[in-house]
Amino acid sequence: AALRDLEKLNYGTIPTVLVILGFNFVLLILLEIPLFGYAIAPERTVIEVQRFRAWLSRRGRRMAIIGFAAVGVFLVVRGLISYFT
């Protein structure tokens, strides 16, 4: 869906390629960071990934609730703004 929206912007060839590469980079950044870390410092990356997984297991639910609440508030505010304008 996002790539279809990017196509509708009618950029030139080079800007379109750069936007698609940037979009894919942001989309896959959570995969790319550990892979890059494994290539540079494998031992430290294993430790850091384990630390992150432990943090996520302790606080993941709370972060998800906060994130979904923020998205909900944003959508309600956006709906109210479009309703009253």
Side-chain angles (χ1 to χ4, degrees), residues 34 36-51:
F36 184 69
Y38 284 126
I40 302 299
E43 297 85 18
R44 182 167 180 216
T45 303
V46 169
I47 293 168
E48 294 300 324
V49 168
Q50 289 172 347
R51 279 186 47 211

Side-chain angles (χ1 to χ4, degrees), residues 8-58:
K8 291 179 183 178
L9 294 174
N10 293 326
Y11 290 146
T13 303
I14 294 175
T16 300
V17 169
L18 292 176
V19 168
I20 289 172
L21 289 175
F23 173 79
N24 285 322
F25 177 76
V26 170
L27 182 70
L28 298 172
I29 196 158
L30 291 177
L31 296 173
E32 292 166 351
I33 290 174
L35 287 175
F36 184 69
Y38 284 126
I40 302 299
E43 297 85 18
R44 182 167 180 216
T45 303
V46 169
I47 293 168
E48 294 300 324
V49 168
Q50 289 172 347
R51 279 186 47 211
F52 178 71
R53 291 173 104 184
W55 178 86
L56 198 58
S57 69
R58 288 190 312 269

Side-chain angles (χ1 to χ4, degrees), residues 36-85:
F36 184 69
Y38 284 126
I40 302 299
E43 297 85 18
R44 182 167 180 216
T45 303
V46 169
I47 293 168
E48 294 300 324
V49 168
Q50 289 172 347
R51 279 186 47 211
F52 178 71
R53 291 173 104 184
W55 178 86
L56 198 58
S57 69
R58 288 190 312 269
R59 296 195 176 106
R61 183 178 301 202
R62 183 175 184 184
M63 292 296 120
I65 291 170
I66 291 170
F68 288 134
V71 169
V73 168
F74 170 75
L75 291 174
V76 168
V77 169
R78 189 175 90 174
L80 289 173
I81 290 172
S82 67
Y83 179 75
F84 288 114
T85 57

